Amino acid sequence: MDSQDQAWADEFPIIEDGDDRPARRPDRFSMGELIERRISRREALSTMLATAAATTVPMGLLSREAQAAAGSSVSTVGIQEIENVITTTHRVSAGYTAKPLIRWGDPLFTDSPEFDPDNLNAESQVRQFGYNNDFIAYMPLPRGSENSSHGLLCVNHEYTCPWLMYPGIQERSALTTEEIRNEMAAHGHSVVEIERGENGEWEMVPGSPYNRRITADAPRVRIAGPAAGHDRLKTSQDPEGLWTVGTINNCAGGFTPWGTVLIAEENFNSYFAGDASGTSEADNHDRYGVGGGASFDWRLLESRFDVENEPHEANRYGWVVEYNPYDPESTPVKRTTLGRIKHEGATTIINKCGRLVVYMGDDQVFEHIYKFVSRDPVDMERPEKNRDLLDEGTLYVAKFEEDGSVDWLPLVHGQGPLTEANGFGSQGEVLIETRRAADLLGATPMDRPEDVEPNPATGRVYAMLTNNKKRESADTANPRARNIWGHIIEIVPPGAESGDSQGAEQADHASTKGTWNIFLRAGDPSQDESGSVYHPDVSRDGWLMCPDNCAFDNKGRLYIATDQGSAQARSGSPDGIRITDTTGQGRALTKLFFACPVGAEMCGPCFTPDSTTMFVAVQHPGDSKGSTFENPSTRWPGEADSKMPPRPSVVAITKNNGGLIGD
């Protein structure tokens, strides 16, 4: 790392920014050759204007002078912005209520103990809500309904911050084996039944038969699709290569039209220690950053997390897991057709031909954007017929061309360079080494692709590019070198050019062609060096840093969740939710709606079907410089209790008059 990076790391030693470090790329992707040409800020803006004009929606990409000439802006976002400052608690726009609904350690079952920060143990944690809540799906009850007052919250638990969980802990290496067991139990996923009372407030249903915990070491998860049973997935624990134990580092996700949930495995490499260089998987593990210094030393408990002992174990992670939240006894399934990457989300849409399309990002700098197209159409009349629909189809990776077009390249064994001569003996191997396959196809290395979601109101697709301070040179799809701010790309499938409901109906998400433009470039507009580009009327409170997750309300407005990591303290801006129109004169006019407490990132925005409630996940509150269990920078959400540590929590946001969020 360079001197400035080292200074930042020294200043914020406890915050994990591993996604900002590139995995080793093949030789042909060395930094000197990664970008074909260098373009200036002026050239980048010129390209943005040209591509935006080609898609007929230039608003938000124009200069202030050009926008003024076009007429005054009219945003459909009717909120009163909150102040863009960091505080020790959460804040929401006037006229709204934001109430913590579920906290780390809250009991889920009738036999669950109450949360006791002085007595954390795995036996209790597997019966309680997990740590660092991320992705949220609201699944209505009964199944198949549009009920917006009774449903299931399905929530990922990505990782843990032991320095905020235990006294006297500064780093993970100091954890005892019992504390590691508790850490494993705090990972995974929770299902919680919730209901909105007559007073309008949401409450958990303790002891609900739907409530469930999935952890890092339970239950068994079946492996399906082309990689199932492959020799490179076989271990001493599972000689057939057909199942894993639990799931780890569950970041964003998605849900299917037939009522199942997709939970993504992201930074799985962090859990595998040992020297992989002498194993049969050396190059493969190197491409994913597996081996060496693991963040979680779980091999102290289970030898399967030692790559020298079990070189194939890491190949069994980095997949998308599908499960049925309406059946707490159902077996989760890893759908290997969706590829093995550091998955940030798996969002779905039914294409006009009836087939399912799943959009995904690979959350690391210089990685790629993907989509999966099912072979068969979705059968909504007989949902049980969709049980294995995700096992057959084609995975594609995006190549963004300088002329504003995008090509979706198929990752299919035997096509192009994906042959045995290049080390791919089967489709299963293409999927096990998805990153290398995408590299060989010439996919565009992006600035840390995170959430990728289609807007159901317009058919257009929005990709959150969080940041990439390692980029030495700009290109058209990543228009800033040393991009510490992030940007958002808008992908326009054929048929979605109109940007309205007709476009939503006509959009062909299964097409291998499309166009793209840059929706906004994040950063502080008052700082010229940021090169930020928004609507010219964005206020000093409305700008943002590091877009991460996103969601759409039923009017098609975009809700952007941010994650700055250690940069939050430098920017002075809180992570939270910004709202903007994606079309019309309010396009890219972002407004600050919700702010997280100090040290926290914003995750998991989702809505009830009627858009009257928004759920968000506040992850790792208090994880800032010098913050410890004994003296955290915030005790949110229990600020008044001096004995309570900060607790990651899901927050329910409602409008005080019961209206639509965002109006």
Side-chain angles (χ1 to χ4, degrees):
M1 73 175 54
D2 61 31
S3 59
Q4 186 172 358
D5 289 340
Q6 185 62 60
W8 289 351
D10 291 342
E11 185 178 1
F12 302 97
I14 65 173
I15 297 180
E16 293 185 334
D17 290 321
D19 300 328
D20 299 334
R21 296 190 293 270
R24 185 192 69 82
R25 303 187 61 79
D27 291 342
R28 71 187 193 88
F29 286 101
S30 64
M31 284 303 300
E33 300 170 329
L34 198 73
I35 308 302
E36 293 181 357
R37 66 184 186 91
R38 187 180 185 92
I39 55 177
S40 68
R41 176 184 175 186
R42 179 176 297 177
E43 289 172 319
L45 181 57
S46 175
T47 302
M48 291 163 64
L49 290 170
T51 54
T55 57
T56 73
V57 282
M59 308 302 288
L61 298 175
L62 299 178
S63 67
R64 291 182 183 271
E65 294 77 10
Q67 185 70 57
S72 62
S73 64
V74 178
S75 171
T76 73
V77 180
I79 67 164
Q80 179 179 328
E81 282 193 275
I82 59 176
E83 190 177 4
N84 193 357
V85 296
I86 300 172
T87 68
T88 59
T89 191
H90 71 276
R91 293 172 294 121
V92 71
S93 179
Y96 290 83
T97 296
K99 180 182 177 182
L101 173 61
I102 312 171
R103 304 161 298 179
W104 163 48
D106 279 346
L108 300 184
F109 308 98
T110 55
D111 62 347
S112 299
E114 293 293 330
F115 178 68
D116 181 358
D118 296 322
N119 185 30
L120 301 182
N121 58 81
E123 289 71 23
S124 297
Q125 181 64 81
V126 296
R127 314 295 291 169
Q128 298 167 332
F129 191 67
Y131 198 84
N132 270 351
N133 34 221
D134 198 292
F135 164 75
I136 307 171
Y138 174 84
M139 309 298 287
L141 285 171
R143 183 176 185 174
S145 73
E146 293 291 309
N147 194 342
S148 293
S149 60
H150 188 198
L152 305 176
L153 277 192
C154 306
V155 186
N156 277 351
H157 303 294
E158 187 177 1
Y159 69 100
T160 51
C161 300
W163 42 87
L164 298 176
M165 299 169 69
Y166 302 105
I169 298 293
Q170 294 294 320
E171 54 189 22
R172 288 194 172 88
S173 61
L175 292 177
T176 67
T177 55
E178 288 306 310
E179 288 168 340
I180 292 174
R181 290 187 191 280
N182 182 63
E183 185 176 51
M184 295 177 74
H187 278 66
H189 191 83
S190 293
V191 180
V192 185
E193 182 179 353
I194 60 170
E195 192 164 16
R196 193 171 188 179
E198 293 182 0
N199 62 358
E201 293 190 358
W202 287 92
E203 299 290 345
M204 292 175 53
V205 181
S208 163
Y210 292 108
N211 290 358
R212 183 179 188 181
R213 279 301 319 280
I214 298 171
T215 72
D217 55 3
R220 280 195 179 192
V221 178
R222 182 168 66 89
I223 301 174
H230 195 283
D231 285 347
R232 294 175 66 182
L233 266 61
K234 295 177 180 178
T235 66
S236 58
Q237 187 182 56
D238 171 29
E240 296 182 329
L242 296 175
W243 57 270
T244 66
V245 175
T247 180
I248 53 177
N249 207 264
N250 304 106
C251 193
F255 57 91
T256 68
W258 55 89
T260 60
V261 174
L262 305 176
I263 58 179
E265 295 179 323
E266 193 192 15
N267 293 312
F268 62 92
N269 62 299
S270 299
Y271 301 82
F272 293 91
D275 183 2
S277 62
T279 72
S280 59
E281 296 290 335
D283 291 339
N284 174 37
H285 285 345
D286 194 27
R287 184 64 184 85
Y288 288 91
V290 172
S295 298
F296 299 83
D297 204 2
W298 288 4
R299 65 175 175 175
L300 294 176
L301 289 181
E302 299 186 24
S303 62
R304 64 191 179 100
F305 291 106
D306 187 329
V307 292
E308 297 175 51
N309 182 66
E310 290 284 3
H312 292 164
E313 183 71 19
N315 291 342
R316 296 149 68 81
Y317 294 90
W319 307 100
V320 170
V321 181
E322 181 182 15
Y323 82 97
N324 177 7
Y326 297 98
D327 178 5
E329 300 301 321
S330 62
T331 299
V333 183
K334 293 194 174 185
R335 302 296 183 185
T336 63
T337 44
L338 301 183
R340 178 173 168 263
I341 56 177
K342 293 184 179 180
H343 282 280
E344 177 80 22
T347 59
T348 69
I349 192 165
I350 298 179
N351 196 47
K352 64 178 184 176
C353 64
R355 292 182 290 168
L356 191 75
V357 178
V358 185
Y359 286 99
M360 299 166 286
D362 187 354
D363 186 7
Q364 195 163 9
V365 295
F366 299 120
E367 297 304 335
H368 309 299
I369 293 173
Y370 298 83
K371 73 177 180 183
F372 167 82
V373 181
S374 68
R375 182 191 65 185
D376 301 324
V378 177
D379 190 339
M380 291 304 294
E381 297 298 321
R382 297 174 296 175
E384 69 278 2
K385 295 292 184 181
N386 304 311
R387 192 189 74 160
D388 295 320
L389 184 132
L390 293 177
D391 284 344
E392 299 286 351
T394 303
L395 183 65
Y396 298 87
V397 66
K399 183 177 183 181
F400 295 93
E401 303 289 359
E402 291 186 4
D403 63 359
S405 64
V406 59
D407 293 320
W408 291 98
L409 312 173
L411 286 88
V412 176
H413 178 250
Q415 294 188 16
L418 307 184
T419 62
E420 192 163 3
N422 284 320
F424 298 107
S426 65
Q427 182 63 20
E429 245 172 338
V430 170
L431 297 169
I432 291 169
E433 295 194 65
T434 300
R435 280 186 170 181
R436 185 167 72 91
D439 293 341
L440 290 173
L441 289 174
T444 304
M446 306 297 289
D447 285 353
R448 197 176 152 198
E450 298 219 31
D451 209 1
V452 184
E453 296 212 17
N455 185 340
T458 67
R460 297 184 176 195
V461 180
Y462 295 81
M464 307 294 111
L465 286 306
T466 296
N467 54 37
N468 186 357
K469 62 176 175 278
K470 295 296 184 181
R471 181 173 291 280
E472 294 179 351
S473 302
D475 63 16
T476 50
N478 303 278
R480 289 175 291 185
R482 193 172 179 79
N483 178 14
I484 63 173
W485 310 275
H487 59 288
I488 299 175
I489 278 188
E490 180 182 62
I491 303 170
V492 184
E497 291 82 4
S498 63
D500 55 19
S501 59
Q502 182 180 4
E505 295 174 359
Q506 296 300 318
D508 186 3
H509 294 275
S511 175
T512 59
K513 299 292 184 180
T515 59
W516 66 273
N517 65 85
I518 294 180
F519 179 73
L520 64 78
R521 299 198 315 206
D524 184 348
S526 69
Q527 299 178 355
D528 289 340
E529 63 271 21
S530 76
S532 62
V533 180
Y534 304 86
H535 189 287
D537 291 342
V538 69
S539 75
R540 64 182 182 182
D541 295 318
W543 60 271
L544 61 102
M545 291 277 290
C546 303
D548 185 329
N549 297 138
C550 67
F552 297 92
D553 63 21
N554 59 15
K555 291 188 175 181
R557 289 176 293 222
L558 176 63
Y559 292 68
I560 305 166
T562 61
D563 172 18
Q564 300 170 75
S566 58
Q568 183 187 108
R570 297 192 300 277
S571 73
S573 175
D575 282 322
I577 296 287
R578 275 80 173 176
I579 315 175
T580 179
D581 293 320
T582 59
T583 60
Q585 292 187 343
R587 176 177 162 90
L589 177 52
T590 51
K591 298 184 178 183
L592 180 55
F593 172 61
F594 179 92
C596 293
V598 61
E601 69 170 282
M602 185 88 278
C603 304
C606 79
F607 290 92
T608 52
D610 64 3
S611 289
T612 62
T613 299
M614 182 183 190
F615 300 101
V616 295
V618 175
Q619 188 179 116
H620 56 73
D623 193 13
S624 51
K625 181 185 179 183
S627 187
T628 63
F629 176 89
E630 294 85 355
N631 187 28
S633 55
T634 179
R635 294 188 182 276
W636 185 92
E639 294 101 321
D641 189 341
S642 61
K643 295 183 179 180
M644 193 63 65
R647 298 169 71 181
S649 303
V650 171
V651 176
I653 304 173
T654 54
K655 201 169 186 179
N656 293 347
N657 65 6
L660 300 180
I661 303 292
D663 276 0

